[in-house]
Amino acid sequence: MAPCDGKCNARCSKAGRQDRCLKYCNICCEKCNYCVPSGTYGNKDECPCYRDMKNSKGQPKCP
């Protein structure tokens, strides 16, 4: 199991679109040295890289 899987499973456990949440969480996790904020929502100050990543429209990329 990849280091991101457990963290993203926890992060996305309450997401409406699990598949989408997991996809973006895993991308962000790998780019941010496996840092994923704790909890299912918020706490993004724990991982500034994860918090600050934006998509092509300038919106937050990471769930």
Side-chain angles (χ1 to χ4, degrees), residues 2-26:
C4 295
D5 289 347
K7 294 177 183 180
C8 288
N9 284 339
R11 183 79 181 166
C12 295
S13 63
K14 294 183 179 171
R17 306 256 324 260
Q18 289 256 311
D19 52 344
R20 200 158 164 238
C21 181
L22 288 167
K23 175 184 168 187
Y24 287 108
C25 179
N26 277 295

Side-chain angles (χ1 to χ4, degrees), residues 1 32 37 43 46-48 56-57 59:
M1 188 160 114
C32 294
N43 302 321
E46 294 173 11
C47 300
S56 58
K57 294 177 185 154
Q59 296 166 321

